[in-house]
Amino acid sequence: MTVASSQKPALDDAQLAHAVGGLLGEFNRAGVLGVADVHAARSIGRIGGEARESVILAVALAVRALRAGSVCIDLRTVADAVFADTAADDATEQVDVSSLDWPDSDRWMADCRDSPLVTTADGPDGRPLRMAGGLLYLERYWRQEESVRLQLQQRSTAGPPTVDLARLRSGLERIFTAEGLDPDEPDLQRRAAAMSVLRWISVLAGGPGTGKTTTVARLIALLHDQHTGLGDPHGTDPDGHTAVRRPLRVALAAPTGKAAARLEEAVRDAARKLPMQDRERIGDLGASTVHRLLGWTPEGRNRFRHNGFNRLPYDVVVVDEMSMVPLTLMARLLEALRPDARLILVGDPDQLASVEAGAVLADIVNAEPGPDTGLATTLAQVLSDPPQSATALGVVRLQHTWRFGGVIGELARAIRASEANRVIEILRSQDPALVFSEPNDPSAAGEASIDMAALDALRREVVGPARMIKEAAESGDVAAALAGLEEHRLLCAHRRGPYGVTRWTREILRWLGEAIPGYATGGEWYPGRPLLITANDYETSLYNGDTGVVVQTANGLRAAFARGGSPTLIAPVRLDAVQSVHAMTVHRAQGSQFHTVSFVVPPPDSPLLTRELLYTAVTRATERVIVLGTEEAVRRAILRPANRASGLRSRL
């Protein structure tokens, strides 16, 4: 059993389930289970007629697992997990589970299988939990995972789309060039595009700067070319009248508004570099959030206007930043797709997964489905360097870094490969694009945890862009004010505590008040105030994680948000869930890029400190990274991958 920490976090009165004894009370007082977990498990047990403590404990752990991002639990290994009874970016301490009275795993599983609360993978419906492959699920999440599995497999095994192979081969030669690649390096962008044309589902994986959105733009051009070339564009309808074939319908989507705006902008930029005929076919593609694509509705049983009974009208759906898409949303998306629509999933499986349950992209990329000999044979007909084999899920992982390379690229690769010694070597290399500040006193927090030289450098990184944003906002230069938001961002793992966003926001506001005369003195909505949307607002088309800035315009103060094309300007009184953003969590920063990123590394015993957290933080930067933390914490992160329980990967 892994002992997470020798310290037991102090629980306040609101975290204790009073008058609850036995195993539930013990695990609650230890900080493993929350009050909601305890009461939910007791209610389920009472309704289902189950009184055995071990089974009720398993139910409570299955409920609790969802907050940690897992869709199920494995009773054989659940005691080895790191527990903290807090939401994703509030967890500040690990919990010592070594002294808890864990049930014997074999007996525990037998009790659960025998329970009236639990059914098996192929058992009857109507029970609140299901056990499959040794994993215990809440029924809702079992059904969602099963739905995703079935739909992915149906798409991967269905007969392939009709494709003009000669036209595809010439299109690949026209649109893709090997410029910048080593002669011995395979052109994975071209391979990924060919795979996506030939399959109903494909996955384009890769880290930042590997050309994912460039590949998407070229792929869309190929699909338009296929659509134009297949058959007579002037066919006849059932009544014999001449019918003009409709254009190819393409949808671009991402989990957040910021990520959607970046996808739209990147695809448009890449499309401008295509040959004229291909550029014209693509046109001006817009992008939306996945929720907006599906037509989220605040009322109604299905929540989304598009579902299995009212399918999306698109021929091609591209979803970027797939690492942030949780299991529930993936299930709804797959249900809403027409069977004859191509689905192209794009993202970095090494980034942090969604704050909600599931790690769908990582599960798909790391699954090991059987080989697809038919696909491999077809690829050999259209590519000069075809892969030796291909799988039915159509996964291609881009490797060549085009954007930043250099020390940031080296650091990202070393983190991804869990090479702790190499990471520390790079951090201490004195490269101008990288600063590693280790605290003078490892036990200190906040400003005291940083040496004076690094603190001065961080203060300059914060004050410079803030001054630029304020001046641009006061003069009404919306574009410059929004661009200033991307100059620098301070990232934290936690929201609260000495290493959290709240603490550092206070310190940054003090710096800005000292350095910039009149900063933040013009009331709540002052020009230059950086904004963060904290909840989806469908009326204004603003979504959780979107960032903007208050600017002065001819019509008064407005909140400006980037939207790929022209900025969106909204009266501040229309904003609801919004706060100032001077620092943000790494989770919220996903889908964003900044010229410089400063990352406050949490202490080694933080349950949020994982390889994915460190990797995601440093890869938000395009030019410079400042890492503020101890060597011990960095090493701990590199050697601790996130562990989200799921059955999807093995079942695919």
Side-chain angles (χ1 to χ4, degrees):
M1 179 182 300
T2 299
V3 179
S5 170
S6 60
Q7 296 181 341
K8 177 180 176 180
L11 301 179
D12 60 38
D13 194 61
Q15 294 173 294
L16 291 173
H18 296 285
V20 176
L23 286 176
L24 286 185
E26 177 187 353
F27 277 64
N28 170 238
R29 289 187 294 274
V32 172
L33 296 176
V35 174
D37 307 327
V38 171
H39 291 314
R42 295 180 77 197
S43 296
I44 292 171
R46 185 168 55 251
I47 294 170
E50 175 60 76
R52 285 172 291 183
E53 279 194 306
S54 62
V55 177
I56 303 303
L57 174 63
V59 175
L61 291 171
V63 174
R64 183 245 173 251
L66 299 174
R67 291 201 312 278
S70 294
V71 298
C72 57
I73 59 171
D74 187 337
L75 297 177
R76 296 162 296 193
T77 60
V78 68
D80 294 326
V82 175
F83 286 98
D85 179 34
T86 42
D89 49 9
D90 271 346
T92 57
E93 295 181 279
Q94 293 176 7
V95 178
D96 182 2
V97 300
S98 61
S99 61
L100 294 176
D101 187 16
W102 291 91
D104 174 76
S105 59
D106 292 336
R107 179 62 184 271
W108 201 5
M109 292 185 68
D111 286 346
C112 288
R113 289 194 189 97
D114 182 54
S115 172
L117 301 178
V118 181
T119 187
T120 58
D122 54 356
D125 297 336
R127 297 188 183 184
L129 292 99
R130 191 176 291 258
M131 183 170 283
L135 303 176
L136 185 66
Y137 296 78
L138 294 179
E139 177 69 5
R140 173 187 175 187
Y141 290 90
W142 156 261
R143 287 184 176 276
Q144 290 176 357
E145 187 176 282
E146 181 70 356
S147 173
V148 169
R149 179 189 70 84
L150 288 173
Q151 291 179 84
L152 289 175
Q153 290 183 336
Q154 287 169 3
R155 287 183 169 276
S156 65
T157 57
T162 302
V163 175
D164 183 333
L165 295 182
R167 194 177 185 95
L168 175 58
R169 186 167 52 249
S170 64
L172 289 167
E173 292 294 332
R174 180 179 70 252
I175 294 173
F176 287 85
T177 65
E179 183 179 353
L181 287 175
D182 186 283
D184 297 327
E185 186 177 354
D187 191 342
L188 296 178
Q189 290 188 4
R190 185 183 303 203
R191 183 180 299 176
M195 191 103 62
S196 298
V197 172
L198 295 167
R199 306 296 298 170
W200 294 117
I201 183 169
S202 56
V203 181
L204 180 57
T210 52
K212 295 189 296 294
T213 49
T214 298
T215 305
V216 167
R218 294 173 176 177
L219 162 61
I220 293 171
L222 284 174
L223 291 171
H224 275 285
D225 187 47
Q226 283 289 314
H227 190 73
T228 300
L230 288 175
D232 183 359
H234 298 283
T236 58
D237 62 20
D239 296 326
H241 301 117
T242 300
V244 178
R245 177 151 34 89
R246 60 170 175 75
L248 188 72
R249 295 171 295 193
V250 179
L252 303 179
T256 68
K258 185 68 173 178
R262 286 194 169 276
L263 173 63
E264 179 179 322
E265 182 179 5
V267 169
R268 286 181 176 179
D269 287 345
R272 293 188 188 103
K273 302 172 185 177
L274 293 173
M276 178 65 72
Q277 66 190 90
D278 298 299
R279 187 164 67 244
E280 290 177 346
R281 287 171 181 159
I282 291 180
D284 288 328
L285 273 176
S288 72
T289 64
V290 180
H291 282 78
R292 188 173 180 84
L293 175 73
L294 293 175
W296 185 90
T297 57
E299 64 279 328
R301 187 169 59 87
N302 291 318
R303 287 191 61 210
F304 292 113
R305 181 162 50 87
H306 292 291
N307 48 55
F309 303 100
N310 179 30
R311 307 278 187 152
L312 287 164
Y314 300 102
D315 304 300
V316 180
V317 174
V318 180
V319 183
D320 195 16
E321 295 292 350
M322 264 297 301
S323 63
M324 290 190 282
V325 175
L327 177 68
T328 299
L329 188 58
M330 185 63 176
R332 300 291 85 82
L333 174 64
L334 287 169
E335 289 172 1
L337 287 174
R338 299 198 331 260
D340 60 346
R342 286 180 174 87
L343 175 62
I344 300 159
L345 307 177
V346 185
D348 186 350
D350 296 308
Q351 284 188 28
L352 284 169
S354 166
V355 294
E356 299 178 50
V360 177
L361 179 64
D363 284 342
I364 295 174
V365 170
N366 294 300
E368 298 181 2
D372 188 327
T373 55
L375 176 59
T377 300
T378 307
L379 287 171
Q381 299 179 52
V382 298
L383 295 173
S384 58
D385 59 343
Q388 294 183 349
S389 63
T391 63
L393 288 174
V395 177
V396 175
R397 190 161 189 163
L398 303 182
Q399 303 290 341
H400 188 94
T401 301
W402 302 87
R403 183 193 297 152
F404 40 59
V407 69
I408 298 178
E410 289 181 33
L411 180 62
R413 286 190 291 272
I415 294 171
R416 194 172 61 213
S418 295
E419 297 174 348
N421 291 336
R422 177 59 179 153
V423 168
I424 299 301
E425 178 186 347
I426 295 171
L427 286 172
R428 291 177 173 161
S429 65
Q430 303 297 314
D431 190 288
L434 185 61
V435 175
F436 180 38
S437 172
E438 300 176 78
N440 298 319
D441 179 4
S443 65
E447 284 193 7
S449 66
I450 306 176
D451 66 52
M452 290 305 299
L455 192 63
D456 288 341
L458 177 59
R459 188 181 290 111
R460 288 193 298 271
E461 293 288 353
V462 168
V463 171
R467 181 181 285 114
M468 180 181 69
I469 292 169
K470 181 175 182 290
E471 293 172 353
E474 290 175 338
S475 66
D477 191 341
V478 176
L482 287 171
L485 291 176
E486 299 183 357
E487 285 296 315
H488 173 265
R489 187 57 48 84
L490 177 65
L491 302 182
C492 305
H494 304 280
R495 282 187 292 175
R496 300 181 180 88
Y499 300 88
V501 169
T502 302
R503 167 72 178 270
W504 279 99
T505 294
R506 288 198 303 267
E507 295 185 353
I508 288 173
L509 283 171
R510 179 170 59 81
W511 294 347
L512 297 179
E514 294 171 350
I516 304 175
Y519 190 86
T521 58
E524 181 183 8
W525 302 104
Y526 55 88
R529 179 190 175 190
L531 303 174
L532 173 69
I533 301 299
T534 58
N536 294 339
D537 185 341
Y538 295 93
E539 290 186 4
T540 59
S541 296
L542 295 175
Y543 300 90
N544 190 1
D546 284 0
T547 56
V549 62
V550 177
V551 297
Q552 185 69 55
T553 72
N555 297 318
L557 291 175
R558 293 291 184 268
F561 296 87
R563 277 294 175 268
S566 300
T568 297
L569 299 178
I570 298 173
V573 294
R574 295 184 60 197
L575 299 179
D576 185 15
V578 64
Q579 65 186 40
S580 298
V581 56
H582 298 285
M584 68 187 343
T585 62
V586 179
H587 263 106
R588 284 197 186 277
Q590 284 186 269
S592 299
Q593 293 288 333
F594 308 97
H595 292 176
T596 300
V597 162
S598 300
F599 176 43
V600 178
V601 185
D605 63 350
S606 167
L608 302 184
L609 187 60
T610 64
R611 182 174 65 216
E612 289 80 2
L613 180 86
L614 181 61
Y615 173 83
T616 303
V618 303
T619 55
R620 297 312 90 203
T622 59
E623 295 180 4
R624 192 162 182 253
V625 175
I626 301 173
V627 177
L628 310 168
T630 65
E631 176 183 341
E632 180 187 3
V634 171
R635 287 183 177 275
R636 185 75 63 89
I638 294 164
L639 299 176
R640 183 195 289 160
N643 183 21
R644 290 197 165 192
S646 162
L648 182 61
R649 182 180 308 186
S650 61
R651 296 167 66 211
L652 282 174

